[in-house]
Amino acid sequence: MTAPEKTVADFWFDPLCPWAWMTSRWMLEVEKVRPVEVRWHVMSLAVLNEDRIDEMPEEFREVMRTEAWHPVRVCIAAELKHGPDVLGPLYTALGERFHLQGLPRDRATIEAALAEVGLPVELADAAYSDAFDAELRASHQEGIDKVGQDVGTPVIAVPGADGEQIAFFGPVVTPAPKGEAAARLWDGTLLVASTPGFYEIKRTRTQGPIFD
């Protein structure tokens, strides 16, 4: 008996976003309970917000101008130099440090994440260089082109009714569902993606990310 063909889900993330982190942990759970393969891509909150920084609260402005660039630049450099398969493990190593351990989003933390997944720590140099910004913007724009404007991270693209990918912002969920709960949310995601004309379900968030 042959294994079922895997469904591809393309996932755009920024390592700084706690909500993208929650959704990404759900997708890793989905891979365990459904024949699904996640392909990871980089998007950037810094790029997304660069034309509206002045409208943001003061505490976020400097982050968007400076450190928001650092992890995504390192991720895109790692992908370009070592292939797309390194993105998933690197994202996990960065996210565990940023979101679970609460470590500073600095060079030392980035270097530790690189070392954990067997990548050269010198890739951290990319954090402070615009050498790969064109590729970063292209990866970001690929996700935005699929989902449209007025969204954030994560962006997930899944097969629709005719096999063509349909992209959504989200799902935004906390805590990340496990086991059969993860499978049901995935099945629902495919269901709405296969419904022509479906765009949005939303309610106000009443709690922050619950990490486990």
Side-chain angles (χ1 to χ4, degrees):
M1 182 177 179
T2 59
E5 183 178 351
K6 289 188 175 182
T7 299
V8 171
D10 286 292
F11 191 106
W12 279 263
F13 68 91
D14 185 315
L16 291 191
C17 179
W19 292 106
W21 173 256
M22 302 303 298
T23 309
S24 72
R25 299 311 93 180
W26 162 65
M27 282 307 308
L28 290 181
E29 190 71 13
V30 170
E31 285 189 317
K32 300 175 185 177
V33 294
R34 289 290 187 268
V36 171
E37 176 188 356
V38 181
R39 296 191 303 205
W40 303 98
H41 308 274
V42 185
M43 68 180 297
S44 169
L45 290 172
V47 173
L48 184 70
N49 292 302
E50 62 184 346
D51 292 332
R52 49 192 176 199
I53 287 180
D54 292 340
E55 303 169 11
M56 303 179 72
E58 181 63 35
E59 62 267 27
F60 294 119
R61 293 178 192 172
E62 193 58 28
V63 172
M64 287 299 111
R65 291 190 178 105
T66 56
E67 67 181 57
W69 288 94
H70 300 164
V72 289
R73 282 172 165 172
V74 172
C75 285
I76 208 72
E79 179 185 17
L80 291 170
K81 294 188 176 185
H82 298 276
D85 290 345
V86 305
L87 276 180
L90 180 56
Y91 179 26
T92 291
L94 287 167
E96 287 179 346
R97 286 165 171 79
F98 294 159
H99 304 302
L100 303 187
Q101 300 173 31
L103 295 176
R105 297 173 294 198
D106 60 11
R107 183 180 182 114
T109 301
I110 292 172
E111 286 185 350
L114 289 165
E116 178 184 318
V117 297
L119 290 169
V121 296
E122 292 79 14
L123 283 169
D125 292 343
Y128 309 96
S129 167
D130 62 2
F132 303 106
D133 281 7
E135 291 84 357
L136 171 61
R137 290 177 182 277
S139 179
H140 174 88
Q141 192 62 45
E142 182 184 10
I144 293 298
D145 285 346
K146 287 180 178 293
V147 75
Q149 302 299 318
D150 300 319
V151 300
T153 175
V155 168
I156 183 172
V158 301
D162 59 1
E164 183 179 354
Q165 279 194 325
I166 301 295
F168 299 109
F169 162 57
V172 175
V173 60
T174 188
K178 302 281 195 300
E180 187 56 28
R184 288 195 301 269
L185 180 56
W186 169 253
D187 295 342
T189 301
L190 293 183
L191 177 62
V192 297
S194 67
T195 303
F198 176 86
Y199 291 100
E200 184 176 19
I201 292 177
K202 189 173 183 178
R203 64 174 178 157
T204 300
R205 292 195 295 264
T206 58
Q207 61 183 5
I210 301 172
F211 302 114
D212 54 20

